[in-house]
Amino acid sequence: DSVVGSGTTFSIYLPRHAHTVTAKAAAAKAEEKATDLTGTATILLVEDEDAVRSFSARALTNKGYSVLDAPGGETALEILKGHGSAPDLVITDVIMPEMDGPTLATKVREIYPDVPIIFVSGYTEDKFKGQFGENTYFLPKPFTLQQLAAKVKDVLSS
């Protein structure tokens, strides 16, 4: 509105923010947090990067899992021999020095053919399903504690 000698007044009308979108997002986030990610299974965790292994082992232990962790394939096989029974799940990095994850998975499956295995890698998962068949899963790096715990829970529940 303009009045000569008095100036101009601008009125700006904006649409009102719909709170339903925020409420739906909050409900979805609350449901995600409420999901029970705890468990009591024994997990063999094989990762050559100390920080990733430590983070993952601590995270899974805090969720109630018993974690046997190893910095490489050879150590993992020694741990399995000393443990005396099959782990409920094996989580292994794909690229590691000395023995890579697929080689370790093959050796573990020779001892415990039905143990589920989660491969962790920055590479694609396509080749693992074809090579190792059923009970083979994939978690792409980088991952969060939430993603790791959810994947473990999902695999152990299936």
Side-chain angles (χ1 to χ4, degrees):
D1 296 325
S2 293
V3 177
V4 176
S6 294
T8 302
T9 301
F10 293 91
S11 298
I12 300 173
Y13 298 94
L14 300 173
R16 185 176 188 178
H17 178 68
H19 292 286
T20 56
V21 173
T22 305
K24 285 181 185 177
K29 192 166 208 153
E31 183 179 322
E32 183 179 305
K33 284 185 179 179
T35 303
D36 179 24
L37 298 177
T38 61
T40 58
T42 299
I43 299 171
L44 174 63
L45 172 67
V46 188
E47 170 63 59
D48 62 313
E49 291 183 46
D50 292 338
V52 175
R53 187 178 66 255
S54 174
F55 161 80
S56 299
R58 189 171 43 251
L60 291 169
T61 301
N62 288 341
K63 295 290 182 188
Y65 296 101
S66 174
V67 179
L68 309 168
D69 64 300
E74 292 295 334
T75 306
L77 291 173
E78 290 174 19
I79 289 172
L80 276 182
K81 287 177 187 171
H83 186 62
S85 62
D88 297 300
L89 174 66
V90 173
I91 302 173
T92 181
D93 191 7
V94 173
I95 306 297
M96 296 183 290
E98 298 176 26
M99 182 186 298
D100 65 3
T103 302
L104 172 64
T106 300
K107 291 185 180 210
V108 168
R109 288 270 171 89
E110 288 172 1
I111 305 167
Y112 304 113
D114 297 326
V115 70
I117 297 173
I118 298 175
F119 286 105
V120 179
S121 178
Y123 299 97
T124 61
E125 67 181 294
D126 299 337
K127 76 175 214 174
F128 303 112
K129 279 286 186 192
Q131 185 177 355
F132 294 100
E134 296 299 316
N135 277 342
T136 303
Y137 305 89
F138 186 78
L139 180 63
K141 281 184 179 180
F143 54 83
T144 64
L145 161 62
Q146 178 91 11
Q147 291 168 323
L148 174 63
K151 186 66 162 187
V152 166
K153 187 73 169 191
D154 181 49
V155 168
L156 290 172
S157 298
S158 60

